[in-house]
Amino acid sequence: MSISTNPRIAILNINMCPEMAHIASQAHSHPMSLLTLESCFGNLYKSIGVYLADELQGFAILHQIFEDATLMDICICPQSQGTGLGRLLLDRVIVAAKEAKAETLYLEVRSSGIAAINLYLRYGFKETGRRKGYYKTVNGNEDAILMELTFPG
């Protein structure tokens, strides 16, 4: 499936947290709480949303301290997954990190997130480690795969 209408990228503000929490609750088995999402606004954070028409379809949260940027979360609502919106959002996250003079973009992903892992690998992310049993699942825990993308120069 591909994007059927023109998506729009926008910087989100804290007032969008209820919509972000709703999307996260649909897309993640153990989503961030509303309170945690609200804590991701401030000088060290940038929250980026992707819209179709005027409806938020997904978001990404970028945290940056000096030259180290971390993708805290990237989330697309289930009905829009597989349409290219995740790639569009990841493109914008990478641009934002580079514009802020990041040297490295870090992330972690569930070991079961095969589609996400493959997307990150296509973008040049490299696996750098694992956190054993880090993420909760319905049946216990699963590993977090640590990945990073280094920007040249």
Side-chain angles (χ1 to χ4, degrees):
M1 188 186 330
S2 63
I3 300 170
S4 59
T5 184
N6 291 332
R8 177 176 57 90
I9 298 288
I11 300 300
L12 302 177
N13 62 49
I14 197 167
N15 297 328
M16 296 303 298
C17 282
E19 283 184 65
M20 294 167 68
H22 178 71
I23 291 170
S25 72
Q26 293 178 322
H28 296 318
S29 62
H30 293 79
M32 282 191 212
S33 69
L34 178 61
L35 189 59
T36 300
L37 284 169
E38 288 173 344
S39 74
C40 293
F41 286 85
N43 292 337
L44 300 177
Y45 293 92
K46 182 175 281 188
S47 293
I48 304 166
V50 61
Y51 289 83
L52 289 180
D54 287 328
E55 189 173 334
L56 185 65
Q57 300 296 305
F59 64 89
I61 300 171
L62 181 64
H63 177 259
Q64 187 164 341
I65 298 177
F66 302 111
E67 69 277 356
D68 294 334
T70 302
L71 178 58
M72 302 297 293
D73 195 4
I74 188 166
C75 184
I76 301 292
C77 62
Q79 66 268 24
S80 292
Q81 291 177 6
T83 64
L85 293 179
R87 286 190 314 274
L88 185 66
L89 203 47
L90 185 56
D91 285 338
R92 187 59 193 108
V93 164
I94 290 169
V95 167
K98 287 179 177 179
E99 286 175 349
K101 307 284 190 250
E103 294 176 6
T104 307
L105 177 58
Y106 299 94
L107 62 83
E108 62 186 42
V109 60
R110 289 176 176 270
S111 59
S112 64
I114 303 303
I117 293 166
N118 288 332
L119 174 66
Y120 299 137
L121 290 172
R122 283 194 304 273
Y123 273 77
F125 282 85
K126 305 287 185 224
E127 182 176 336
T128 58
R130 286 182 178 248
R131 290 187 174 134
K132 295 288 183 194
Y134 183 77
Y135 285 114
K136 292 181 181 174
T137 69
V138 175
N139 299 322
N141 294 320
E142 70 177 302
D143 294 352
I145 297 175
L146 307 175
M147 301 184 87
E148 68 181 54
L149 177 64
T150 302
F151 303 124

